Amino acid sequence: MPKENLQELEIRLKSFAIARDWVKFHTPKNLVMALSVEVAELVEIFQWMTPEESSEAMNDPRLSVAIKDELADVMLYLVCLSSMLRVDLVAEAHTKIDVNEGRFPIRSNKSAH
Amino acid sequence: MPKENLQELEIRLKSFAIARDWVKFHTPKNLVMALSVEVAELVEIFQWMTPEESSEAMNDPRLSVAIKDELADVMLYLVCLSSMLRVDLVAEAHTKIDVNEGRFPIRSNKSAH
Amino acid sequence: MPKENLQELEIRLKSFAIARDWVKFHTPKNLVMALSVEVAELVEIFQWMTPEESSEAMNDPRLSVAIKDELADVMLYLVCLSSMLRVDLVAEAHTKIDVNEGRFPIRSNKSAH
Amino acid sequence: MPKENLQELEIRLKSFAIARDWVKFHTPKNLVMALSVEVAELVEIFQWMTPEESSEAMNDPRLSVAIKDELADVMLYLVCLSSMLRVDLVAEAHTKIDVNEGRFPIRSNKSAH
């Protein structure tokens, strides 16, 4: 089974939830709460680091494992939620970059975010 | 330019940040904060809904636009952060499903999440 | 030592951090991250509950202990952060209710939040 | 009406919600979501700052107003949620400091948080 693929990820997640009878828990309201909890577990890793330490975190083998694990959890809930809402994440993200390119023209005010 | 693609998304985001001189702001610590803020904007949409209303939210045109917009923002910061950390989001998510399949065998305790 | 008091709480927190040499970690940026992590631990308790189950949660002794513990952590970081920023939480909260009483007059549109 | 007081804050919040018929929305599940959204609005203020800039934020009049406003919102939802759950925030926070004083003795490992 090819595992590089985002569509494949969505299919696996759906089967996973169905097989465990978890679909009843997966309302958008609940999934968005779960997504926010997973993001907070990522925030927890970085909370006491300086910005410089955060840039070096992946060089620490223990931190690297923890960060990958939490990023995976965030991605899983984001894909699960989007799938439930029938939203094409990648297409919407591209559309949003198009919009942002208009909103933040390159030459204006480089230093403000 | 093909826009269906996740790798393409990562490349566009990188160019976007470089062109606006925003890379200096994009430490993992800052990006994880921004990611949590974008997720909260998604939470805000659902906070006063019943679970049933949340399941019907995409049928409301105004809500549908807002939800797609916030999902896109979450995806953009998640891809930006993962790119900065040199983590392959989709590969790590597949690995995590493999792990979860072991942790939550299908027959044990269907009702507990 | 009287423990009912909010000012006393602030003093105890300050001494606690100084005695452990943790003040250097307590920048507003770091404390706001820690606050968001503590709130997420509270969200985690309620994420799979129906709204009705959430209203009954305190009747479950195990949940009641967990909820009180997480509420305490949120309060501690909120007081610590406000203290660091020299903000009087209770006074600001009263001011905000004054503002909200103007923004949301009692007779207008009872059903919208 | 004395406004320095936390109990008074709780009473005002309760009357505010009753007068606007908002109590039906105030399940613990919904309130904890709202609390997390308010904390994220505080995170947003600090997300692109360096830790040093965050320590100076209150010296900027515009930032100072925004920070006080968001802290007030966090406090209001925290008091509202605790009131709904019949939890005494300040008492629980004192209890938690008692516990933490045992968990983190003063002499052990000053540098670890």
Side-chain angles (χ1 to χ4, degrees), chain C residues 5-53:
Chain C
N5 191 286
L6 193 58
Q7 281 70 36
E8 187 59 35
L9 197 61
E10 191 177 328
I11 293 164
R12 289 187 75 196
L13 273 173
K14 211 172 280 190
S15 310
F16 187 90
I18 291 169
R20 282 152 191 83
D21 200 17
W22 286 358
V23 178
K24 61 187 169 195
F25 294 115
H26 288 188
T27 63
K29 187 178 177 91
N30 288 1
L31 288 171
V32 84
M33 292 175 83
L35 176 62
S36 76
V37 170
E38 294 304 336
V39 169
E41 294 182 5
L42 201 54
V43 174
E44 192 176 14
I45 295 177
F46 294 102
Q47 64 188 349
W48 306 120
M49 291 184 197
T50 63
E52 296 72 27
E53 286 167 348

Side-chain angles (χ1 to χ4, degrees), chain A residues 27-36 81, chain B residues 39 42-43 46, chain D residues 33:
Chain A
T27 63
K29 188 179 176 90
N30 288 2
L31 287 172
V32 83
M33 291 176 84
L35 175 62
S36 77
L81 174 62
Chain B
V39 169
L42 201 53
V43 174
F46 294 102
Chain D
M33 290 175 83

Side-chain angles (χ1 to χ4, degrees), chain C residues 61-73:
Chain C
R62 195 185 50 83
L63 281 174
S64 168
V65 169
I67 290 167
K68 284 179 188 167
D69 191 59
E70 297 303 344
L71 281 171
D73 280 339

Side-chain angles (χ1 to χ4, degrees), chain B residues 85-96:
Chain B
L85 296 167
R86 300 178 191 279
V87 171
D88 181 334
L89 263 183
V90 176
E92 292 300 332
H94 274 294
T95 302
K96 191 62 188 272

